[in-house]
Amino acid sequence: MMNPLLLSGYGVKIKVNNMRSRSDLHISNGRDNFGRDLETYSFRPRQIPYDSIIIDGHSGYVSLQAFHWLSRNKVPVFVLNFDGSLISSILPPMPVKADVRAAQFDACKDPEEKQRIAYEIVRAKIQRSRDVLKWLAERYDIETHRRRLDKEALALSRAKTVNDVRIVEGRVAQQYWHAIQSIVPETFCFQSRIVRSHQYNASDPFNLCLNYSYGVIEGYVRRAINIVGLELSVGFLHEFTGSQTKESLVYDLQEPFRWLSDVTTIEAFESGALDMKDFYFLGNDYHYHIEVEAKKRFLELLKDRFNSGVKHNGKMWKWDTVILNKTQELARFLLDKSDHVDFVAPSPNLQRSDTQELRRRILALTQSEARELGIGKSTLHYLRKESRSEQPFRIYQKVKGRLSGSLAGGRGIH
């Protein structure tokens, strides 16, 4: 289950106290507001409740003994830049699995094997893009973008090389981000995820939040790769060169799970959990920054999405477990212990409680019809008020069931 400890601000300190008797890990959070009490934490060995530590402060220290403590307790540390990009990670020692790495290198040298894995990664990414747009289409008019995305995706079946796969992935991504741009209010200045010169910029609040959540997902992908024993730098979809600074396999395995960030970011701005007041702009680097409290709220939303769970192989899995499972599947495929690799399953259950159909049904509902459905006067007033607004809203499952039942019975919208 995803449960990171976020440390931010100036003066973050991680050290070990009472090394002879207790060996407690002592953590002092950083300061962003000197009028607020300093947050401190203390944990005994094997009793830390967090699965990772995320640091996005730029001032402080981690002692060598703390590195040792965290490694022995299998708690990775991820250091993020102000724009959400991952600067560094400190992971527990990875297992020595020469057979897995040798098979990974061999597959990367084999054009057919490399294309097959790249194809499966992009196939999964395209399916998740479709899932997200289907979810958005319940609330917004984006059918043109969905049709264009589907048209571009048809070319994937004809892709013969990794470069062909990359071209399809890029064209599908362009339609996907056009769709999302169309539903993001102009206030947030979101033009696209892809710009002429580069990607992953923080020149607007929406992109900044995408960066931040992608950085968190990157940390969990790194941890999975580390556990399985694969080589971070040798990927199949993303190119790697002798002078690279990015780990290709990390970026490969992020692709099927980026939707977690996209949906969380959309929901955060839709619901008002994040607004322009939560961001500030610095003219010296032309980038937006996010306030610490807003960052904590956003991380909680991402955590909820990660831990929402999905049914897979007869069990309920958290998404961090799915990431690990898919990394293990890739390793088994590389070792010829499995004849296929599939990043598409499991599919997320994305649902909205404020679809256009339900909004129209609510606004057309008379008080006598509401009484027959067991919906009180005050509830109907609330539902009508929310249905007229542009903001998303939640409907209790019992009320939603009654409204949906009336729709299924043929009452209401014509």
Side-chain angles (χ1 to χ4, degrees):
M1 184 174 76
M2 179 187 184
N3 187 29
L5 173 63
L6 174 64
L7 303 176
S8 185
Y10 293 93
V12 171
K13 296 183 180 66
I14 306 178
K15 60 182 181 179
V16 176
N17 290 337
N18 304 320
M19 287 172 51
R20 291 180 179 273
S21 59
R22 294 171 59 89
S23 291
D24 293 341
L25 184 73
H26 185 78
I27 299 174
S28 297
N29 205 349
R31 289 186 183 275
D32 64 300
N33 182 346
F34 285 91
R36 192 174 59 189
D37 291 339
L38 191 68
E39 292 179 313
T40 61
Y41 308 86
S42 185
F43 306 109
R44 295 294 308 280
R46 296 179 294 281
Q47 293 181 14
I48 183 168
Y50 299 100
D51 70 333
S52 62
I53 294 175
I54 298 173
I55 304 174
D56 68 357
H58 290 261
S59 170
Y61 70 86
V62 182
S63 73
L64 293 177
Q65 191 62 35
F67 283 136
H68 182 269
W69 194 102
L70 291 163
S71 179
R72 290 293 297 271
N73 285 271
K74 295 182 172 58
V75 180
V77 178
F78 305 114
V79 183
L80 300 183
N81 202 352
F82 74 91
D83 62 358
S85 59
L86 188 65
I87 298 175
S88 181
S89 61
I90 303 157
L91 298 166
M94 70 186 307
V96 179
K97 294 187 177 179
D99 57 339
V100 174
R101 290 193 174 193
Q104 182 183 359
F105 295 147
D106 289 343
C108 201
K109 293 175 184 176
D110 183 333
E112 290 186 9
E113 197 84 336
K114 186 176 181 181
Q115 187 274 344
R116 182 177 177 183
I117 296 170
Y119 173 92
E120 290 299 333
I121 291 168
V122 171
R123 185 169 76 92
K125 183 179 181 181
I126 290 174
Q127 185 54 52
R128 294 294 83 85
S129 297
R130 283 176 167 144
D131 292 340
V132 173
L133 294 195
K134 180 182 178 183
W135 170 72
L136 285 174
E138 294 178 1
R139 177 71 179 86
Y140 304 98
D141 181 12
I142 57 167
E143 286 307 311
T144 300
H145 298 295
R146 292 180 70 190
R147 287 196 297 271
R148 288 173 179 169
L149 185 149
D150 287 340
K151 183 179 179 180
E152 295 290 358
L154 291 173
L156 184 63
S157 62
R158 301 189 295 271
K160 302 299 182 185
T161 66
V162 174
N163 192 54
D164 292 341
V165 173
R166 290 193 196 105
I167 291 171
V168 176
E169 187 268 341
R171 289 176 174 170
V172 169
Q174 192 170 42
Q175 297 304 324
Y176 176 74
W177 289 115
H178 283 333
I180 292 178
Q181 178 192 352
S182 73
I183 64 99
V184 177
E186 293 182 4
T187 308
F188 301 110
C189 307
F190 178 69
Q191 295 299 312
S192 178
R193 184 65 188 163
I194 303 169
V195 297
R196 191 174 300 172
S197 59
H198 64 283
Q199 298 183 22
Y200 311 116
N201 59 81
S203 57
D204 64 81
F206 197 87
N207 261 316
L208 172 58
C209 289
L210 287 172
N211 286 351
Y212 189 81
S213 50
Y214 288 156
V216 174
I217 290 176
E218 181 180 341
Y220 281 87
V221 170
R222 283 172 176 266
R223 186 178 70 167
I225 293 171
N226 186 70
I227 290 170
V228 173
L230 289 163
E231 170 54 49
L232 295 165
S233 63
V234 178
F236 302 93
L237 175 65
H238 292 86
E239 283 290 4
F240 63 95
T241 64
S243 59
Q244 73 176 19
T245 58
K246 300 182 183 298
E247 287 83 5
S248 301
L249 186 63
V250 176
Y251 285 88
D252 282 2
L253 295 183
Q254 272 185 272
E255 297 295 355
F257 303 102
R258 287 183 181 273
W259 69 270
L260 288 156
S261 297
D262 302 345
V263 170
T264 302
T265 302
I266 291 167
E267 287 185 324
F269 283 91
E270 267 190 345
S271 65
L274 293 180
D275 207 339
M276 284 302 295
K277 66 180 182 299
D278 296 314
F279 301 88
Y280 57 96
F281 188 77
L282 291 184
N284 60 336
D285 59 7
Y286 304 103
H287 287 122
Y288 276 91
H289 298 246
I290 183 170
E291 299 285 358
V292 172
E293 290 304 317
K295 196 178 298 177
K296 290 179 180 177
R297 292 198 303 273
F298 183 60
L299 185 59
E300 281 299 314
L301 293 174
L302 184 61
K303 184 171 139 183
D304 289 344
R305 175 59 61 183
F306 248 83
N307 295 334
S308 60
V310 63
K311 195 165 186 179
H312 185 48
N313 294 334
K315 300 178 182 178
M316 287 301 294
W317 295 38
K318 307 298 184 186
W319 284 102
D320 58 330
T321 307
V322 175
I323 290 173
L324 175 59
N325 175 259
K326 292 301 171 181
T327 308
Q328 291 168 332
E329 281 187 19
L330 174 61
R332 287 196 294 272
F333 175 76
L334 292 171
L335 291 169
D336 293 326
K337 293 181 179 180
S338 173
D339 61 359
H340 73 284
V341 58
D342 175 23
F343 296 102
V344 173
S347 297
N349 181 24
L350 293 175
Q351 292 184 336
R352 299 190 72 99
S353 64
D354 61 343
T355 66
Q356 294 286 31
E357 188 178 24
L358 268 177
R359 285 174 183 257
R360 288 194 295 268
R361 172 60 182 140
I362 290 165
L363 292 174
L365 198 65
T366 66
Q367 287 192 0
S368 60
E369 286 176 327
R371 277 198 304 271
E372 289 178 23
L373 294 173
I375 298 173
K377 189 180 293 186
S378 60
T379 301
L380 179 60
H381 175 74
Y382 162 79
L383 291 174
R384 285 174 173 171
K385 178 183 175 183
E386 294 299 325
S387 295
R388 292 189 188 99
S389 76
E390 292 298 317
Q391 295 297 319
F393 64 97
R394 294 189 179 277
I395 303 176
Y396 287 115
Q397 195 62 38
K398 185 185 291 186
V399 175
K400 185 179 178 183
R402 290 169 180 169
L403 289 166
S404 299
S406 70
L407 284 170
R411 299 173 58 187
I413 300 170
H414 299 286

